[in-house]
Amino acid sequence: MFKRILIANRGEIALRVLRACREMNIETVAVFSEADRDSVPVELADHAICIGGNAPRESYLRPDRIIAAAEVSGADAIHPGYGFLAENAQFADMCRECNIAFIGPSAEAMRMLGDKATAREIAKKAKVPVVPGSEGIIESDEDLAPTAEKIGYPIMIKASAGGGGRGMRIVRDRTELHGMVKQARQEAKAAFNNDAIYLERFIDQPRHVEVQVLADSQGHVIHLFERDCSSQRRHQKLIEESPSPAIDARTRKYLCESAVRLAKTAKYVTACTVEFLVDSKLRYYFIEVNTRIQVEHPVTEMLTDADLIREQIRLAAGEPLSIAQKTVMPHGHVIECRVNAEDPSYGFRPCAGLIERFRPPGGPGVRVDTHAYQGCRISPYYDSLIAKVIVHQPTRLDAIRAMQRALREFVIEPIKTTIPFHLRILEHERFVEGQVDTGFIERSLL
Amino acid sequence: MFKRILIANRGEIALRVLRACREMNIETVAVFSEADRDSVPVELADHAICIGGNAPRESYLRPDRIIAAAEVSGADAIHPGYGFLAENAQFADMCRECNIAFIGPSAEAMRMLGDKATAREIAKKAKVPVVPGSEGIIESDEDLAPTAEKIGYPIMIKASAGGGGRGMRIVRDRTELHGMVKQARQEAKAAFNNDAIYLERFIDQPRHVEVQVLADSQGHVIHLFERDCSSQRRHQKLIEESPSPAIDARTRKYLCESAVRLAKTAKYVTACTVEFLVDSKLRYYFIEVNTRIQVEHPVTEMLTDADLIREQIRLAAGEPLSIAQKTVMPHGHVIECRVNAEDPSYGFRPCAGLIERFRPPGGPGVRVDTHAYQGCRISPYYDSLIAKVIVHQPTRLDAIRAMQRALREFVIEPIKTTIPFHLRILEHERFVEGQVDTGFIERSLL
Amino acid sequence: MVDLESIKQLIDMMVSNDVMEVTMKKGDEEISLKRPGPAVAPVIHAPHPAPAPGPAPVLTSLTEAPSPPVSDDSHLIKITSPMVGKFYASPSPGAAAFVKVGSEIHPDTVVCIIEAMKVFNEIKAEVHGVVEKIYVGNEQAVEYGQPLLGLRRP
Amino acid sequence: MVDLESIKQLIDMMVSNDVMEVTMKKGDEEISLKRPGPAVAPVIHAPHPAPAPGPAPVLTSLTEAPSPPVSDDSHLIKITSPMVGKFYASPSPGAAAFVKVGSEIHPDTVVCIIEAMKVFNEIKAEVHGVVEKIYVGNEQAVEYGQPLLGLRRP
């Protein structure tokens, strides 16, 4: 096992990793930018090293400084957290060259799964459903109708050179196909001087459901069930929960087994998340793999009593999984809300500044992961997440009520947070019914 | 169900009850002494009423003022918490007379189980083992030997008029019996002018193990397994855990079933705790019933995912148990530490004053129940409990490490707390081995 | 400018009365003194120190209380409720109130009845003064320590 | 205006009575005295304010650093480490140090080498001055922003 882990991150995830290390009797090295000098992980770490200025590109995004810090502090492993360098394959390479363990997958696995096309090929090889499509551009309009038929309607026409929605069209049935393709080509030609298009099944009002996977270097791969992250604003997750209220036991089984097959096929080691879109008919489609620990990992931890960070560290050290698939016992219902220092009344603009009053919620079934404290300063240089509140209850309705209770007693002053917005989501009829797709918040609450 | 509950308590338990009420959509009325005006439960309650001065006898121990507060606020039930009026049968009577539900057992059950002799009779009737004894004073020395034989050695001689250890003797075997009795009688005569004595089995280095029981008015009684509270200082519990590291599965089964039989025999309704002593040979003896919710109830909540306060409220409202015995699934290991504002270096003297820095622990498997916050004042009028830290982990060793991690990150300044003492217990070899009896702390750590 | 003796006296007064801050201005002269003090200590602005205000009722949404006494009442002697209960201004429905604004009252004067647990408790003034404010409406719920009447010295 | 004896007495009174702040104004005269809080020495503002100290190195238990520069170094110009790495005082083992106390250095003077990831980086002074303090021992680990040398103006 590692003796000393350098935590190449900040904020709540740095604290989360530090807690796991302490519980494993592993020493910790915190690295920090000047803005984070008074932060909790820096205070609690066994060793702390300032690596640069406040801008991430001068500190947390500097592989050279982080590796130098690992070298001078004698750390034998680096935990990258999420964000920053967590999915930077070059950084993983550098760690390996310097004989420092990178707590994550190999650089090869990261590159393979980080590339959308390669990941799609691996999924197909693992017999995991992907969003059906034309597999490349449509050369001749004669191929259009048969290809569309094979994909199945509704269909999305996408410009090959596309972006920003231009050259995109949704085709509901075959009668619209040729007309829409003509329009799309014209638009694409005008916008990109390239009228090449391809076709893809259009997933209408999908759920975002992801599966937590753990894999050891001995070839064992398990899943820890799913998380439903459909409550999003501009692709930013706001609320995550498990079990997904949208899927049935049979879909859950297929989904989770698909994720395991995919990770096995990729010969993946450590923790990853396999993301899917699920449509209203419970058909699911692989979209991507996140080769790191995720912000919302506590949802799975509360649901299953597993400790994902401790497990991730063990797996990176070459140890076998400490959990067998059959001992993973999800129980009850878990919801997480991400409390961001943002003002929902002003387009969610970030609110930096001094926290003068801070009183996190507590009591039964409540977990709080936060690096904030009364008297700390939320700096404008980094992301606005200041706390994750996670509740665990026997039923989803209990969990919604417990989350309302917890958020209502959470005091953060004077900066604005997303708490009032979360409370609006939690009491919305469609959320309470579990009827949330990825567009719900933008359609109903903004 | 109740519409509005008055919480006749303060501190963390008032906050705990308030949280349960909020999760059940029940309005809350906080009553408070002048010292508690700025407390969290007063801030969060729907209504708050000052009932008197700082001394408990002028406020929290005043049934008249509490009931008047319930009347003017329109509360239809009173939750007494623990301590103060929680086991005051007269208060329960007064509530009933005023048509206010008392969230606890009937006054009759409270009186019956509150009286040691009656409780012992009920236990015998329920075939629950009690500490064997002479059942009254030994009239003639001729009865001594046969009675002692029947009770079984070692035996404790106790003065009938006794107290403070005077007139008490431990007899290891029959050869010592007559001599010791003579000494005890002389000492008792000198001290109390009464040489009457009785005999009781001496339980050497016992464990304190208690069983959580819930019972509804429909006659269903279940247990939620045990808590081991052997880590005590002067009969004050410091650390509680579950499962008990001392007992085996068979003893656990008998112990828990005994508690259920006892509650059934007493026709008990709502929540109670049945306390036992367990000796080194795993023989167990009933000692008393606590007819209220206990400080350490979160241990059971984390172990079983049950919400004892919500359940207690439901039961007091006449609803049936929401949990069946077979659905109670204890999992993992739970430890609670009571963080008191006391200075362990100066005989645990209470430390009142302003809390200038307060940063409770968080993260996976950690629950904190506290009414303290940065900027609050710990008043000298009440008990010194300022926070309960409870951890839940797959194994006992994991739980010990997680508790060490949690306590080490808990910042409370500048007042002294029992945290350093807890850390000493947690790293003591005998505690780690689970070899703790009720005298361990005094023998090994003071 | 520095009159040390006056300042010394000022500081002594601050310390013995737990005063945190004193500011004095006269024309273009100004003196300001600050001590750390406990967070709850009264803040006294010179020249005339105000007595500590009575406990303000917390959250009485149930009772539709009138606004709590504000600082310009601070010179009044307060009669506060010694218990929790329902306030009655008169001995029986329809009867004249025990006291009204302008009444001169003596220590033995009954100023109201507070009902708690079906018992009607007559509340005596315990002080001598003239009623200037009545803070509580008839049949309103009152808490312990809540100001009922404000008196000025006769 | 500045009557030193009066100020001394004022400070004594502040300290013994735990006064945090005194401000006096008269016309365009002003005296202001502040103490940080209980049990700490009084800080007197005006006439010359002390400059803010440079960033203190956090927890360097790994590196057995000498005591960090204290406030009486505050008048020195600091050369701080622009990176994380190992500090070398001389170009090679056994060679003379780049600088020593008393050396006059110029912006282009190499003052040390910092090794990071097997790369030896020459650190130039960037300022002109005379070395008065060397804060870091040979082969010691340094963090970003850590003071290496203290210079006085030549």
Side-chain angles (χ1 to χ4, degrees):
Chain A
M1 185 41 67
F2 307 122
K3 296 245 177 309
R4 189 176 293 161
I5 291 177
L6 181 143
I7 304 165
N9 216 302
R10 63 176 302 284
E12 70 86 18
I13 191 63
L15 184 55
R16 174 69 190 89
V17 174
L18 183 139
R19 284 168 169 157
C21 291
R22 286 191 156 192
E23 290 171 2
M24 298 173 84
N25 279 321
I26 297 171
E27 282 186 46
T28 50
V29 180
V31 294
F32 61 98
S33 71
E34 291 179 312
D36 285 333
R37 190 171 289 274
D38 295 324
S39 68
V40 178
V42 170
E43 178 184 330
L44 294 179
D46 297 300
H47 313 288
I49 298 173
C50 181
I51 52 167
N54 300 335
R57 65 178 186 284
E58 291 171 14
S59 46
Y60 301 109
L61 284 173
R62 287 286 295 261
D64 56 337
R65 293 198 178 167
I66 288 167
I67 289 176
E71 287 183 338
V72 301
S73 63
D76 50 358
I78 293 180
H79 196 300
Y82 52 70
F84 296 133
L85 299 173
E87 290 177 284
N88 182 321
Q90 207 188 332
F91 179 60
D93 275 334
M94 285 169 75
C95 288
R96 183 165 46 191
E97 282 158 23
C98 295
N99 263 318
I100 296 166
F102 176 82
I103 299 173
S106 66
E108 293 71 34
M110 212 187 277
R111 281 195 182 93
M112 214 161 66
L113 293 170
D115 179 76
K116 284 228 174 188
T118 318
R120 188 177 161 104
E121 286 314 307
I122 294 171
K124 283 187 184 168
K125 198 172 148 197
K127 303 205 186 316
V128 173
V130 296
V131 181
S134 57
E135 306 294 338
I137 60 170
I138 303 281
E139 302 286 353
S140 144
D141 279 5
E142 278 168 34
D143 298 337
L144 263 179
T147 307
E149 224 52 53
K150 211 171 125 197
I151 293 169
Y153 290 91
I155 276 171
M156 171 81 88
I157 307 168
K158 287 184 174 177
S160 183
R166 277 173 301 182
M168 277 170 71
R169 284 291 181 286
I170 295 162
V171 188
R172 296 280 165 189
D173 61 56
R174 70 184 66 177
T175 62
E176 301 176 346
L177 183 65
H178 285 273
M180 290 283 200
V181 165
K182 201 174 162 188
Q183 287 176 22
R185 282 198 197 279
Q186 282 169 356
E187 202 171 295
K189 180 83 183 168
F192 317 113
N193 195 28
N194 178 351
D195 69 356
I197 52 125
Y198 63 97
L199 305 185
E200 210 175 77
R201 167 93 51 82
F202 173 65
I203 318 291
D204 201 7
Q205 304 198 357
R207 313 277 309 202
H208 175 118
V209 182
E210 59 189 28
V211 178
Q212 178 67 54
V213 171
L214 293 174
D216 65 22
S217 44
Q218 287 75 16
H220 308 108
V221 182
I222 64 169
H223 68 82
L224 288 93
F225 295 88
E226 82 280 10
R227 295 184 290 259
D228 190 315
C229 313
S230 303
S231 296
Q232 306 182 347
R233 190 189 71 87
R234 296 196 185 164
H235 305 292
Q236 296 296 307
K237 296 169 186 168
L238 283 166
I239 298 183
E240 300 99 350
E241 63 183 304
S242 187
S244 167
I247 63 176
D248 56 15
R250 184 191 161 96
T251 309
R252 176 168 297 114
K253 183 170 182 290
Y254 289 162
L255 203 63
C256 294
E257 288 174 357
S258 291
V260 168
R261 278 202 309 277
L262 199 157
K264 271 192 178 153
T265 306
K267 298 203 189 335
Y268 193 86
V269 177
T270 68
C272 69
T273 299
V274 183
E275 293 192 343
F276 297 92
L277 293 182
V278 180
D279 72 13
S280 54
K281 290 174 183 149
L282 299 191
R283 288 173 302 199
Y284 61 91
Y285 309 98
F286 164 75
I287 43 174
E288 64 177 40
V289 180
N290 294 315
T291 61
R292 51 167 159 85
I293 200 71
Q294 286 192 262
V295 176
E296 60 271 28
H297 75 275
V299 170
T300 301
E301 293 187 324
M302 285 196 106
L303 190 80
T304 64
D305 294 331
D307 187 308
L308 292 179
I309 306 288
R310 271 159 37 188
E311 204 62 30
Q312 191 192 22
I313 292 171
R314 270 189 216 107
L315 298 174
E319 294 192 4
L321 276 164
S322 77
I323 320 161
Q325 185 68 64
K326 67 175 190 303
T327 65
V328 179
M329 296 286 182
H331 50 102
H333 197 96
V334 180
I335 301 181
E336 171 179 280
C337 285
R338 298 189 188 190
V339 177
N340 294 329
E342 295 170 359
D343 187 348
S345 326
Y346 285 88
F348 291 82
R349 68 173 176 203
C351 298
L354 181 69
I355 296 186
E356 292 169 17
R357 265 186 94 206
F358 188 80
R359 202 178 67 213
V366 171
R367 167 175 169 182
V368 181
D369 277 38
T370 182
H371 57 293
Y373 56 90
Q374 188 160 318
C376 82
R377 206 163 260 290
I378 299 302
S379 92
Y381 306 107
Y382 312 109
D383 95 43
S384 59
L385 179 69
I386 46 174
K388 302 186 304 204
V389 177
I390 312 104
V391 299
H392 186 201
Q393 288 286 327
T395 69
R396 187 168 186 272
L397 197 59
D398 287 331
I400 291 173
R401 285 186 180 150
M403 182 59 87
Q404 290 171 324
R405 181 281 279 179
L407 293 182
R408 285 185 184 132
E409 74 184 53
F410 200 163
V411 175
I412 307 178
E413 289 173 4
I415 64 170
K416 300 282 184 192
T417 74
T418 45
I419 288 176
F421 192 72
H422 279 119
L423 290 170
R424 282 182 60 207
I425 301 174
L426 291 168
E427 67 197 13
H428 195 287
E429 191 184 8
R430 288 194 51 98
F431 183 86
V432 173
E433 288 166 357
Q435 298 294 323
V436 173
D437 62 79
T438 56
F440 158 72
I441 287 181
E442 273 150 41
R443 282 196 313 276
S444 310
L445 286 157
L446 293 178
Chain B
M1 183 43 66
F2 306 123
K3 295 248 178 308
R4 190 177 292 164
I5 291 177
L6 181 145
I7 303 165
N9 215 302
R10 63 175 303 284
E12 69 88 16
I13 191 64
L15 184 54
R16 173 70 190 88
V17 174
L18 183 140
R19 285 168 169 158
C21 292
R22 286 191 157 193
E23 290 171 2
M24 297 172 83
N25 279 321
I26 297 171
E27 281 186 47
T28 50
V29 180
V31 294
F32 62 97
S33 71
E34 291 180 312
D36 286 333
R37 190 171 289 274
D38 295 326
S39 68
V40 178
V42 170
E43 179 185 329
L44 294 180
D46 296 301
H47 314 286
I49 299 174
C50 182
I51 53 167
N54 299 335
R57 66 177 185 284
E58 291 172 13
S59 46
Y60 300 110
L61 285 173
R62 287 285 296 261
D64 56 337
R65 293 198 179 168
I66 289 167
I67 289 176
E71 289 183 337
V72 301
S73 63
D76 51 358
I78 293 181
H79 197 299
Y82 53 70
F84 295 132
L85 300 173
E87 290 176 284
N88 184 321
Q90 208 189 330
F91 178 60
D93 275 333
M94 286 170 73
C95 288
R96 184 167 43 191
E97 282 159 23
C98 296
N99 263 318
I100 296 166
F102 175 83
I103 298 173
S106 66
E108 292 71 35
M110 213 188 276
R111 281 195 181 92
M112 213 161 64
L113 293 169
D115 179 73
K116 283 227 174 189
T118 318
R120 187 176 162 105
E121 287 314 308
I122 293 170
K124 282 185 181 170
K125 197 171 150 197
K127 301 200 186 318
V128 174
V130 297
V131 181
S134 57
E135 305 294 339
I137 62 169
I138 304 283
E139 301 287 353
S140 145
D141 279 6
E142 278 168 32
D143 299 337
L144 263 180
T147 308
E149 224 53 52
K150 212 174 125 198
I151 293 169
Y153 292 93
I155 276 171
M156 172 79 89
I157 307 168
K158 287 184 171 176
S160 183
R166 276 173 302 181
M168 278 170 70
R169 285 290 183 285
I170 295 161
V171 188
R172 296 280 166 188
D173 60 56
R174 71 184 68 178
T175 63
E176 301 177 345
L177 183 64
H178 284 275
M180 289 285 202
V181 165
K182 202 173 161 189
Q183 288 174 24
R185 282 200 196 278
Q186 283 168 357
E187 203 171 295
K189 180 82 183 170
F192 316 114
N193 196 29
N194 176 352
D195 69 355
I197 52 128
Y198 64 98
L199 305 184
E200 209 175 78
R201 167 92 52 81
F202 172 65
I203 317 291
D204 201 7
Q205 304 196 357
R207 312 277 311 202
H208 175 118
V209 182
E210 60 189 29
V211 178
Q212 178 66 54
V213 171
L214 292 175
D216 65 22
S217 45
Q218 286 76 18
H220 308 107
V221 182
I222 65 169
H223 69 82
L224 287 95
F225 295 87
E226 82 282 10
R227 295 184 290 259
D228 190 317
C229 314
S230 303
S231 296
Q232 305 183 347
R233 190 189 72 88
R234 297 197 184 163
H235 304 292
Q236 296 295 307
K237 297 169 185 168
L238 284 166
I239 298 182
E240 300 99 349
E241 62 183 304
S242 187
S244 166
I247 63 177
D248 56 15
R250 185 189 160 96
T251 309
R252 176 168 298 113
K253 182 170 182 288
Y254 289 162
L255 202 65
C256 294
E257 288 174 357
S258 291
V260 167
R261 279 203 308 280
L262 199 156
K264 271 191 178 153
T265 305
K267 301 205 188 331
Y268 192 88
V269 176
T270 65
C272 69
T273 300
V274 184
E275 294 192 342
F276 297 92
L277 293 182
V278 180
D279 72 13
S280 55
K281 289 173 183 151
L282 300 191
R283 289 174 301 201
Y284 61 92
Y285 310 97
F286 164 74
I287 44 174
E288 65 177 40
V289 180
N290 294 315
T291 60
R292 51 169 160 83
I293 200 71
Q294 288 193 258
V295 176
E296 61 270 26
H297 75 274
V299 171
T300 302
E301 292 187 324
M302 284 196 106
L303 191 79
T304 63
D305 294 331
D307 188 308
L308 292 178
I309 306 287
R310 272 160 35 188
E311 204 63 30
Q312 190 191 22
I313 292 170
R314 269 188 217 108
L315 298 174
E319 295 193 3
L321 277 164
S322 77
I323 320 162
Q325 186 68 63
K326 66 175 193 302
T327 64
V328 179
M329 296 286 185
H331 50 102
H333 197 94
V334 180
I335 300 181
E336 172 179 279
C337 286
R338 297 189 188 188
V339 177
N340 294 330
E342 295 170 0
D343 187 349
S345 327
Y346 286 88
F348 292 82
R349 68 172 177 204
C351 298
L354 181 70
I355 297 186
E356 293 170 13
R357 264 187 94 206
F358 187 81
R359 202 178 67 211
V366 172
R367 167 175 169 182
V368 181
D369 276 36
T370 183
H371 57 295
Y373 56 90
Q374 188 159 317
C376 82
R377 206 164 260 287
I378 300 301
S379 95
Y381 306 106
Y382 313 108
D383 96 44
S384 58
L385 179 69
I386 45 174
K388 302 187 304 203
V389 177
I390 311 104
V391 299
H392 187 202
Q393 288 286 327
T395 70
R396 186 167 186 273
L397 196 60
D398 287 331
I400 291 174
R401 286 186 180 151
M403 182 60 86
Q404 291 172 322
R405 181 280 280 179
L407 292 182
R408 284 186 183 130
E409 73 184 52
F410 200 163
V411 175
I412 307 177
E413 289 173 3
I415 64 170
K416 301 282 184 191
T417 74
T418 45
I419 287 176
F421 192 72
H422 278 120
L423 289 171
R424 283 183 58 209
I425 301 173
L426 292 168
E427 67 196 15
H428 195 286
E429 191 185 8
R430 290 194 49 97
F431 183 87
V432 173
E433 287 165 357
Q435 298 294 322
V436 174
D437 62 77
T438 57
F440 157 74
I441 286 181
E442 272 149 41
R443 282 196 313 277
S444 310
L445 286 159
L446 292 178
Chain C
M1 165 187 184
V2 184
D3 175 357
L4 276 176
E5 193 45 42
S6 306
I7 289 180
K8 188 171 180 318
Q9 283 179 37
L10 251 177
I11 289 178
D12 285 349
M13 285 196 300
M14 286 175 81
V15 170
S16 56
N17 294 292
D18 217 12
V19 173
M20 263 169 60
E21 198 169 329
V22 171
T23 308
M24 283 186 287
K25 271 188 196 176
K26 189 183 173 186
D28 60 356
E29 281 185 37
E30 181 171 345
I31 294 183
S32 164
L33 297 158
K34 274 185 201 166
R35 294 180 60 246
V40 292
V43 177
I44 301 179
H45 294 276
H48 29 244
V58 174
L59 248 183
T60 40
S61 52
L62 280 176
T63 55
E64 295 170 45
S67 319
V70 284
S71 51
D72 60 353
D73 282 5
S74 55
H75 62 290
L76 298 183
I77 303 159
K78 303 289 187 312
I79 297 178
T80 61
S81 175
M83 60 180 69
V84 178
K86 203 189 243 185
F87 174 93
Y88 291 97
S90 59
S92 59
F98 290 108
V99 296
K100 54 186 195 221
V101 172
S103 304
E104 179 165 357
I105 60 175
H106 296 274
D108 275 344
T109 310
V110 172
V111 295
C112 67
I113 281 171
I114 293 177
E115 178 204 346
M117 295 184 69
K118 321 271 178 281
V119 177
F120 292 81
N121 305 279
E122 291 190 337
I123 307 299
K124 289 184 178 164
E126 314 282 0
V127 291
H128 181 200
V130 175
V131 176
E132 192 158 316
K133 286 267 172 81
I134 300 176
Y135 297 116
V136 182
N138 194 37
E139 300 196 27
Q140 184 187 315
V142 292
E143 63 178 358
Y144 174 87
Q146 183 171 338
L148 305 173
L149 305 178
L151 311 182
R152 61 179 161 78
R153 298 197 184 279
Chain D
M1 167 190 176
V2 187
D3 172 358
L4 275 178
E5 190 47 40
S6 305
I7 288 181
K8 188 171 179 314
Q9 284 179 41
L10 250 179
I11 290 176
D12 286 349
M13 284 196 298
M14 286 176 80
V15 170
S16 55
N17 294 291
D18 216 12
V19 173
M20 262 167 60
E21 200 170 325
V22 172
T23 309
M24 285 185 283
K25 270 189 201 175
K26 189 183 174 183
D28 59 356
E29 281 183 36
E30 179 169 350
I31 295 182
S32 168
L33 296 155
K34 274 186 200 165
R35 294 177 59 244
V40 190
V43 177
I44 304 180
H45 291 273
H48 32 244
V58 175
L59 247 186
T60 41
S61 55
L62 279 176
T63 54
E64 296 169 48
S67 318
V70 284
S71 51
D72 61 352
D73 281 7
S74 55
H75 62 289
L76 299 181
I77 303 160
K78 303 287 186 314
I79 297 178
T80 60
S81 175
M83 60 181 69
V84 178
K86 203 189 244 186
F87 174 94
Y88 291 98
S90 58
S92 59
F98 290 109
V99 297
K100 54 188 192 215
V101 170
S103 303
E104 179 166 356
I105 59 175
H106 296 274
D108 274 343
T109 310
V110 172
V111 294
C112 67
I113 281 170
I114 292 178
E115 178 203 347
M117 296 184 69
K118 319 272 179 281
V119 178
F120 292 83
N121 306 279
E122 291 189 340
I123 306 300
K124 289 185 179 166
E126 315 282 1
V127 290
H128 182 200
V130 176
V131 176
E132 192 158 316
K133 285 269 172 78
I134 301 176
Y135 297 117
V136 182
N138 193 37
E139 299 196 24
Q140 184 188 313
V142 292
E143 64 178 357
Y144 174 88
Q146 184 172 340
L148 305 173
L149 305 178
L151 312 182
R152 60 180 162 78
R153 300 198 180 279

